[in-house]
Every structure is written in C-alpha cells, then in structure tokens.
Amino acid sequence: MSSPFTVAFVLGATPGKWARVWNERLPETSLDLVAAEQDAALDMLRAGTADVALLRLPVDRAENSDRPLAAIPLYTERAVVVVPKGHAIEALDSLALSELEAENVIRGDWRDAVELVAANVGVAVLPQAVARALTRKDVVARMLDDGPEWRVAVVWRDGSVDPLVEEFIGIVRGRTARSSRGTAAANDATEDTPPSRTAQKSGSGNKKGSGARSSGRTHNGKSAAKRPARAKSFRPQPRKG
C-alpha cells in the first residue's frame, strides 16, 4: 500500500462522494480526509501535509511567493438564515435579507453563531451546507432569496507534477476514468469573478479532455497558447511508502 493522498476540507464541504470514486479508481492509494478551518487547511497545503484542499474563495494564492497556489472553483453555495426553533421565520419557506432588519444578526465564527442562535440571542446567515453540518434540534434554517453566496474551490500547490493531484482534480470536475487528465487553467479563481448559482467550470475554455499543464494555464485572462496540446491519458503510479 502506498502512502495516503491527503485532502483537507472546510466545514460544509462534502468530499465523500469523490472519495468513493477515488477508492474505485485507485484502490492501492488510500485517501485521507482531514476536516480543518480555512487557515489551517491553507497551512497544511503550503507545508505539504495536505496534497489538495477544498476551500472557500477568495484564497490568497501568494503568486509572488515560492509556494504559490492554484485553484479551480467547483460550485456555489447559497445562504440560509438560522433562527431559534419557534421563531416567526420558521413559518416561511424563504425570505429576503430586508426581512432581517429587525433581527440581531450574529456574525463571526459560524459554530459560535449557531450556539448563540440556539440560546435565542439572534439569528445567523450561513452557507446552506454549513447550516446542514451544524444542524441541531433547537434551531431551523430557511433559504435567503437574495443572500450572499460562497464559492468552493479545489486548491493545490501550483506547479505540482504529482499525477495524483491531477487525478483528484479530474475526479472533482467529473472526468471519467478514460478521459485525459491534464489540469485546466486555475486562474478563474480570482476574487473579482462574479459567482454563479450553478457549478463553476474552469475559465480556460478548454474542452473536456484537453489542456495539458504546460499550455492550459492562463495569465491575466489570456490563453497561454492558441491550441493547447492534448494531454495524454495516463494512470497514476502508486506512491511508494
């Protein structure tokens, strides 16, 4: 058995479905899933104790450092408002932010916020996935029609030549086992890119199965090559323990 491939992930991210695909395709390389706060996950990634991470954008990619990061947005999370059980908002299916003007909206750490909501201190606005992860019997969540949005991205050390990193990126982006696995451009994870309610794809414009690392990256929104070379199919070799 080779050494494990480690994925750090933030609260609300759900890597389990991808772990199942990984285990089917790469049974000789175990996948370690490590729950972590955003800053801790970034530290793990830069230190090399995590191979990739599932984080919320924006992420400081530190492009001028010796350990820059690359990121590809995967999907967008919608917001919910969490209120105490029995609150008037519980009777609604959804509401607008303007309907919270009379409420004490608790900010800060999401775990602490839910604790305070349960104590009837106020209400909290969270990503839907986080509210689901922190669910408890004394609070309820209702959708915010015009609430904020968060983008979840797969992040890795830029310039990595580890084929297992590319394999994981291919899995989370829905590539099949037979498709080519060159990673697509990572610069579409910039902070000023407007979010969408639908799953985000790479902004490189490469079609599925194309875009080798050497030519698929973009810089300042421009393609590095007019016709990216087609990446050859490969099967990652197991890591040596």
Side-chain angles (χ1 to χ4, degrees), residues 43 45-48 61-69 157-158:
D43 289 343
L45 198 56
R46 290 194 169 101
R61 298 205 302 269
E63 294 176 350
N64 296 325
S65 75
D66 59 348
R67 292 185 179 180
L69 301 177
R157 291 181 296 280
D158 199 9

Side-chain angles (χ1 to χ4, degrees), residues 128-162:
Q128 186 177 23
V130 172
R132 188 179 295 117
L134 298 178
T135 187
R136 46 189 292 168
K137 295 180 179 180
D138 47 4
V139 301
V140 295
R142 292 295 180 262
M143 189 67 67
L144 280 172
D145 294 329
D146 57 350
E149 294 181 334
W150 294 264
R151 289 186 297 164
V152 173
V154 56
V155 186
W156 71 98
R157 291 181 296 280
D158 199 9
S160 171
V161 294
D162 187 345

